[in-house]
Amino acid sequence: MKRISTGTIGRFTLVVRPEHLANRFKDSILPPVLATPVMIMAMENAALNAARSYLEPGESVVGTTVNIQHLAATVVGQTVTATAEVTAVDGRRIAFAVSASDEIEEIGKGTHERMVIEVARLRQRLDAKIARLADTQAAPR
């Protein structure tokens, strides 16, 4: 990875659609509002966008820590803008201050960390895990 500076900012925008709502995939009695995991996804994508241009070919960043407050509800049709600012870099670990707002107010804030990984190496580890899983499922009980 190329050196990324603190203060680097990434953004991600999402128009809230019915499939993003808490009452669609969590609890059907909830009002039709943006689900917290979807807001977090927008924040994670903003962090990815902050780091993207600093990655070498074959590298990516994966989330390792999320500490988020969901502050306000957002309804279908509103636009959520998530922002991530690099606050620290320690080797392959990148820390971010993240926030999300709709057209009216701030809806979430917190911190997030991502780790730079080599995609091919991760794929090898996953293939080995899949093989181990297949072995455990094939073993007689």
Side-chain angles (χ1 to χ4, degrees), residues 1-126:
M1 180 177 101
K2 301 172 200 158
R3 177 128 173 92
I4 185 170
S5 301
T6 57
T8 300
I9 293 176
R11 289 186 175 74
F12 180 82
T13 302
L14 171 79
V15 176
V16 179
R17 297 170 36 157
E19 61 267 23
H20 300 139
L21 303 180
N23 66 1
R24 288 290 178 101
F25 64 93
K26 288 175 68 180
D27 188 348
S28 63
I29 68 166
L30 291 172
V33 295
L34 179 68
T36 302
V38 176
M39 181 187 71
I40 292 170
M41 179 206 62
M43 293 170 164
E44 288 198 49
N45 284 342
L48 170 61
N49 288 340
R52 189 182 305 275
S53 65
Y54 296 89
L55 299 172
E56 300 289 346
E59 289 181 334
S60 189
V61 286
V62 295
T64 57
T65 304
V66 176
N67 184 4
I68 301 298
Q69 294 176 296
H70 198 159
L71 304 171
T74 304
V75 298
V76 169
Q78 286 194 278
T79 299
V80 171
T81 301
T83 303
E85 180 178 350
V86 175
T87 58
V89 180
D90 182 14
R92 297 182 305 125
R93 185 186 64 81
I94 308 170
F96 300 88
V98 292
S99 64
S101 298
D102 59 27
E103 298 90 341
I104 306 297
E105 61 193 329
E106 182 177 50
I107 64 167
K109 64 181 180 179
T111 59
H112 176 49
E113 290 184 7
R114 298 188 77 76
M115 186 71 68
V116 178
I117 57 108
E118 295 176 31
V119 176
R121 187 170 172 205
L122 176 59
R123 173 51 59 196
Q124 289 174 342
R125 290 176 56 203
L126 293 174

